[in-house]
Protein backbone atom coordinates (compact mmCIF):
# COMPACT_ATOMS: atom_id res chain seq x y z
CA UNK A 1 0.00 0.00 0.00
CA UNK A 2 1.34 3.41 -0.92
CA UNK A 3 0.85 6.14 1.68
CA UNK A 4 0.40 9.77 0.71
CA UNK A 5 0.25 12.05 3.75
CA UNK A 6 -1.95 15.10 3.24
CA UNK A 7 -0.09 18.20 4.37
CA UNK A 8 -3.44 19.95 4.86
CA UNK A 9 -3.63 18.28 8.27
CA UNK A 10 -0.30 19.77 9.31
CA UNK A 11 0.81 23.31 10.10
CA UNK A 12 0.43 25.00 6.71
CA UNK A 13 2.72 27.87 7.72
CA UNK A 14 5.54 25.30 8.01
CA UNK A 15 4.78 23.13 5.01
CA UNK A 16 8.39 22.34 4.12
CA UNK A 17 9.10 21.21 7.68
CA UNK A 18 5.92 19.12 7.75
CA UNK A 19 7.04 17.50 4.49
CA UNK A 20 10.36 16.64 6.11
CA UNK A 21 8.60 14.97 9.05
CA UNK A 22 6.82 12.64 6.60
CA UNK A 23 9.89 10.49 5.89
CA UNK A 24 9.04 7.30 4.04
CA UNK A 25 5.98 8.74 2.29
CA UNK A 26 5.43 7.52 -1.26
CA UNK A 27 3.93 10.87 -2.27
CA UNK A 28 3.06 14.16 -0.60
CA UNK A 29 -0.67 14.78 -1.09
CA UNK A 30 -1.42 18.45 -1.75
CA UNK A 31 -5.02 19.61 -1.35
CA UNK A 32 -5.76 22.64 -3.50
CA UNK A 33 -9.09 24.26 -2.56
CA UNK A 34 -10.66 27.33 -4.13
CA UNK A 35 -13.39 28.34 -1.66
CA UNK A 36 -15.92 27.62 -4.41
CA UNK A 37 -15.96 23.93 -5.29
CA UNK A 38 -15.39 23.31 -1.58
CA UNK A 39 -16.07 25.67 1.32
CA UNK A 40 -12.40 26.14 2.16
CA UNK A 41 -9.36 27.81 0.64
CA UNK A 42 -5.81 26.48 0.91
CA UNK A 43 -2.90 27.17 -1.47
CA UNK A 44 -2.13 27.12 -5.17
CA UNK A 45 0.60 26.43 -7.69
CA UNK A 46 3.11 29.08 -6.46
CA UNK A 47 3.17 27.57 -2.98
CA UNK A 48 3.53 24.05 -4.39
CA UNK A 49 6.36 25.20 -6.67
CA UNK A 50 8.20 26.65 -3.66
CA UNK A 51 7.64 23.47 -1.65
CA UNK A 52 9.21 21.45 -4.48
CA UNK A 53 12.55 23.14 -3.74
CA UNK A 54 12.52 21.63 -0.24
CA UNK A 55 11.70 17.97 -0.86
CA UNK A 56 12.46 15.09 -3.20
CA UNK A 57 9.22 13.25 -2.43
CA UNK A 58 6.97 13.24 -5.52
CA UNK A 59 3.75 15.23 -5.39
CA UNK A 60 0.18 13.96 -5.61
CA UNK A 61 -1.92 17.06 -6.33
CA UNK A 62 -5.65 16.94 -5.55
CA UNK A 63 -7.47 19.84 -7.20
CA UNK A 64 -10.70 20.66 -5.38
CA UNK A 65 -11.46 23.62 -7.60
CA UNK A 66 -14.25 24.53 -9.99
CA UNK A 67 -13.17 24.40 -13.62
CA UNK A 68 -9.59 23.18 -13.03
CA UNK A 69 -8.88 23.53 -16.75
CA UNK A 70 -8.26 27.27 -16.32
CA UNK A 71 -5.12 26.91 -14.18
CA UNK A 72 -4.14 23.38 -15.16
CA UNK A 73 -0.85 24.39 -16.84
CA UNK A 74 0.38 26.06 -13.65
CA UNK A 75 -0.04 22.80 -11.72
CA UNK A 76 1.48 20.69 -14.48
CA UNK A 77 4.49 23.02 -14.57
CA UNK A 78 5.33 21.91 -11.03
CA UNK A 79 5.82 18.41 -12.49
CA UNK A 80 3.82 16.39 -9.94
CA UNK A 81 3.85 12.60 -10.25
CA UNK A 82 0.05 12.49 -10.05
CA UNK A 83 -2.73 15.01 -10.45
CA UNK A 84 -6.43 14.45 -9.78
CA UNK A 85 -9.32 16.65 -10.84
CA UNK A 86 -12.84 16.22 -9.52
CA UNK A 87 -15.42 14.50 -11.68
CA UNK A 88 -18.00 16.97 -10.39
CA UNK A 89 -15.91 20.04 -11.33
CA UNK A 90 -14.95 19.34 -14.93
CA UNK A 91 -17.03 19.89 -18.06
CA UNK A 92 -14.58 18.61 -20.68
CA UNK A 93 -13.04 15.63 -18.89
CA UNK A 94 -11.62 14.05 -22.05
CA UNK A 95 -9.60 17.18 -22.83
CA UNK A 96 -8.44 17.66 -19.25
CA UNK A 97 -7.25 14.05 -18.87
CA UNK A 98 -5.42 14.19 -22.20
CA UNK A 99 -3.63 17.39 -21.19
CA UNK A 100 -2.48 15.86 -17.91
CA UNK A 101 -1.21 12.72 -19.64
CA UNK A 102 0.54 14.68 -22.37
CA UNK A 103 2.47 16.47 -19.63
CA UNK A 104 3.77 13.08 -18.47
CA UNK A 105 1.75 13.16 -15.27
CA UNK A 106 -0.52 10.35 -14.02
CA UNK A 107 -4.09 11.55 -14.51
CA UNK A 108 -6.64 10.88 -11.79
CA UNK A 109 -10.34 11.45 -11.29
CA UNK A 110 -11.49 12.18 -7.74
CA UNK A 111 -15.11 11.39 -6.92
CA UNK A 112 -17.25 12.58 -4.05
CA UNK A 113 -19.02 10.07 -1.80
CA UNK A 114 -22.38 10.69 -3.47
CA UNK A 115 -21.10 10.36 -7.05
CA UNK A 116 -21.77 7.11 -8.91
CA UNK A 117 -18.60 5.52 -10.28
CA UNK A 118 -20.43 4.12 -13.33
CA UNK A 119 -20.45 7.62 -14.88
CA UNK A 120 -16.67 7.46 -15.24
CA UNK A 121 -16.76 4.42 -17.53
CA UNK A 122 -16.09 6.29 -20.76
CA UNK A 123 -13.18 8.23 -19.23
CA UNK A 124 -11.32 5.28 -17.76
CA UNK A 125 -9.14 4.64 -20.83
CA UNK A 126 -7.54 8.06 -20.16
CA UNK A 127 -7.30 7.64 -16.40
CA UNK A 128 -4.42 6.26 -14.32
CA UNK A 129 -6.25 6.28 -11.00
CA UNK A 130 -9.59 6.99 -9.37
CA UNK A 131 -9.44 8.73 -6.00
CA UNK A 132 -12.46 7.74 -3.93
CA UNK A 133 -13.35 10.44 -1.43
CA UNK A 134 -14.31 8.87 1.89
CA UNK A 135 -15.27 12.28 3.29
CA UNK A 136 -17.06 15.20 1.69
CA UNK A 137 -14.03 17.21 0.54
CA UNK A 138 -13.10 20.50 2.15
CA UNK A 139 -11.48 19.73 5.48
CA UNK A 140 -9.03 17.40 7.14
CA UNK A 141 -10.07 15.52 10.26
CA UNK A 142 -13.53 14.33 9.18
CA UNK A 143 -14.98 10.89 9.83
CA UNK A 144 -14.44 8.11 7.25
CA UNK A 145 -17.58 7.19 5.26
CA UNK A 146 -17.45 3.37 4.94
CA UNK A 147 -20.24 3.09 2.33
CA UNK A 148 -17.76 4.30 -0.30
CA UNK A 149 -15.88 0.99 -0.15
CA UNK A 150 -18.75 -0.79 -1.86
CA UNK A 151 -18.43 1.61 -4.77
CA UNK A 152 -14.81 0.51 -5.24
CA UNK A 153 -16.05 -3.02 -5.86
CA UNK A 154 -18.26 -1.65 -8.62
CA UNK A 155 -15.26 0.00 -10.28
CA UNK A 156 -13.35 -3.28 -10.05
CA UNK A 157 -16.19 -5.01 -11.90
CA UNK A 158 -16.04 -2.39 -14.66
CA UNK A 159 -12.25 -2.77 -14.89
CA UNK A 160 -12.59 -6.55 -15.13
CA UNK A 161 -15.06 -6.18 -17.95
CA UNK A 162 -13.13 -3.52 -19.87
CA UNK A 163 -9.65 -4.89 -19.11
CA UNK A 164 -8.38 -1.42 -18.27
CA UNK A 165 -5.57 -0.82 -15.77
CA UNK A 166 -6.74 1.91 -13.42
CA UNK A 167 -5.62 1.98 -9.81
CA UNK A 168 -7.73 3.02 -6.83
CA UNK A 169 -6.90 5.44 -4.03
CA UNK A 170 -8.88 6.48 -0.98
CA UNK A 171 -8.87 9.94 0.59
CA UNK A 172 -10.46 11.12 3.83
CA UNK A 173 -10.52 9.88 7.41
CA UNK A 174 -8.05 7.06 6.76
CA UNK A 175 -6.16 5.79 9.80
CA UNK A 176 -5.08 2.67 11.68
CA UNK A 177 -8.70 1.63 12.34
CA UNK A 178 -9.77 1.38 8.71
CA UNK A 179 -6.63 1.05 6.52
CA UNK A 180 -7.02 -2.73 6.38
CA UNK A 181 -10.59 -2.34 5.06
CA UNK A 182 -9.32 0.15 2.51
CA UNK A 183 -6.69 -2.34 1.34
CA UNK A 184 -9.22 -5.17 1.17
CA UNK A 185 -11.49 -2.97 -0.95
CA UNK A 186 -8.70 -2.86 -3.54
CA UNK A 187 -6.94 0.46 -2.94
CA UNK A 188 -3.21 0.57 -3.60
CA UNK A 189 -2.86 4.10 -2.25
CA UNK A 190 -4.22 5.75 0.87
CA UNK A 191 -4.16 9.46 1.54
CA UNK A 192 -3.80 10.07 5.27
CA UNK A 193 -3.95 13.55 6.77
CA UNK A 194 -4.72 13.73 10.47
CA UNK A 195 -3.66 10.17 11.29
CA UNK A 196 -0.13 10.98 10.08
CA UNK A 197 0.40 14.72 10.55
CA UNK A 198 -1.25 14.99 13.96
CA UNK A 199 0.88 12.19 15.34
CA UNK A 200 4.11 12.92 17.21
CA UNK A 201 6.08 10.77 14.78
CA UNK A 202 4.64 11.02 11.26
CA UNK A 203 7.31 8.74 9.78
CA UNK A 204 6.37 6.01 12.24
CA UNK A 205 2.65 6.56 11.58
CA UNK A 206 3.29 6.07 7.87
CA UNK A 207 5.12 2.77 8.31
CA UNK A 208 2.51 1.56 10.78
CA UNK A 209 -0.29 2.29 8.28
CA UNK A 210 1.61 0.33 5.67
CA UNK A 211 2.08 -2.63 8.02
CA UNK A 212 -1.58 -2.60 9.03
CA UNK A 213 -2.67 -2.44 5.39
CA UNK A 214 -0.61 -5.53 4.66
CA UNK A 215 -1.93 -7.19 7.82
CA UNK A 216 1.52 -7.77 9.27
CA UNK A 217 0.88 -6.03 12.57
C1 LIG B 1 -10.26 16.46 2.20
C2 LIG B 1 -8.88 16.30 1.61
C3 LIG B 1 -8.12 15.21 2.25
C4 LIG B 1 -7.85 15.46 3.71
C5 LIG B 1 -7.36 14.23 4.37
O1 LIG B 1 -10.96 17.41 1.50
O2 LIG B 1 -8.98 16.00 0.23
O3 LIG B 1 -6.92 14.94 1.55
O4 LIG B 1 -6.91 16.47 3.92
O5 LIG B 1 -7.24 14.49 5.74
P1 LIG B 1 -7.81 13.43 6.79
O6 LIG B 1 -7.01 12.19 6.60
O7 LIG B 1 -7.57 14.10 8.11
O8 LIG B 1 -9.25 13.23 6.47
ZN1 LIG C 1 -7.13 15.22 -0.75
Amino acid sequence: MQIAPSLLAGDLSRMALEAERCRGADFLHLDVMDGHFVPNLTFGAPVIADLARHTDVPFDIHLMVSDPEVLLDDYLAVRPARLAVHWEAVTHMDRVLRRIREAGVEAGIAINPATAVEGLTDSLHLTSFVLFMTVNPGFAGQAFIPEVLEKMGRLEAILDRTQLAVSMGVDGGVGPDNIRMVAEAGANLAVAGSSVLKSAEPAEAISRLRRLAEDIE
Side-chain angles (χ1 to χ4, degrees), residues 186-206:
N188 78 331
L189 179 140
V191 175
S194 308
S195 69
V196 169
L197 272 301
K198 302 278 191 228
S199 84
E201 288 293 340
E204 173 48 34
I206 290 168

Side-chain angles (χ1 to χ4, degrees), residues 6 8-9 29 31 33 62 64 133 135-142 171-174 191-195:
S6 161
L8 176 65
H29 182 82
D31 289 304
M33 303 186 185
H62 178 192
M64 283 160 280
M133 296 308 299
V135 296
N136 290 292
F139 304 93
Q142 303 183 80
D171 183 8
V174 176
V191 175
S194 308
S195 69

Side-chain angles (χ1 to χ4, degrees), residues 1 5 24 35 37 46 49 62 66 103 137 151 159 168 184 195 210:
M1 172 77 79
F37 178 68
H62 178 192
S66 301
K151 194 159 65 172
L159 295 174
M168 300 198 285
E184 278 168 358
S195 69
R210 224 180 256 125

Side-chain angles (χ1 to χ4, degrees), residues 99-165:
R99 279 178 61 192
I100 299 171
R101 289 161 66 93
E102 278 160 18
V105 175
E106 284 189 46
I109 302 177
I111 61 168
N112 285 338
T115 300
V117 73
E118 286 77 8
L120 278 58
T121 305
D122 291 311
S123 302
L124 293 175
H125 62 295
L126 297 171
T127 305
S128 297
F129 65 97
V130 173
L131 186 64
F132 289 86
M133 296 308 299
T134 37
V135 296
N136 290 292
F139 304 93
Q142 303 183 80
F144 182 82
I145 302 174
E147 293 92 319
V148 173
L149 300 180
E150 182 269 329
K151 194 159 65 172
M152 296 171 68
R154 286 193 272 129
L155 178 61
E156 276 191 327
I158 295 170
L159 295 174
D160 277 352
R161 198 173 66 237
T162 55
Q163 292 292 296
L164 291 166

Side-chain angles (χ1 to χ4, degrees), residues 12-115:
L12 287 176
S13 70
R14 298 156 36 101
M15 238 163 118
L17 295 170
E18 295 289 44
E20 222 172 87
R21 292 171 74 221
C22 293
R23 273 179 309 282
D26 293 287
F27 302 96
L28 292 172
H29 182 82
L30 297 168
D31 289 304
V32 177
M33 303 186 185
D34 66 351
H36 186 261
F37 178 68
V38 289
N40 196 4
L41 190 62
T42 55
F43 46 79
V47 172
I48 298 176
D50 280 349
L51 180 65
R53 291 188 283 105
H54 296 276
T55 179
D56 294 330
V57 183
F59 290 167
D60 174 39
I61 298 181
H62 178 192
L63 291 183
M64 283 160 280
V65 305
S66 301
D67 204 1
E69 210 173 339
V70 179
L71 285 173
L72 195 57
D73 285 339
D74 294 1
Y75 294 98
L76 293 173
V78 182
R79 307 207 51 74
R82 302 157 38 99
L83 186 146
V85 293
H86 261 267
W87 178 255
E88 303 84 2
V90 174
T91 308
H92 303 289
M93 187 58 89
D94 181 284
R95 184 164 64 211
V96 168
L97 293 172
R98 286 181 197 276
R99 279 178 61 192
I100 299 171
R101 289 161 66 93
E102 278 160 18
V105 175
E106 284 189 46
I109 302 177
I111 61 168
N112 285 338
T115 300

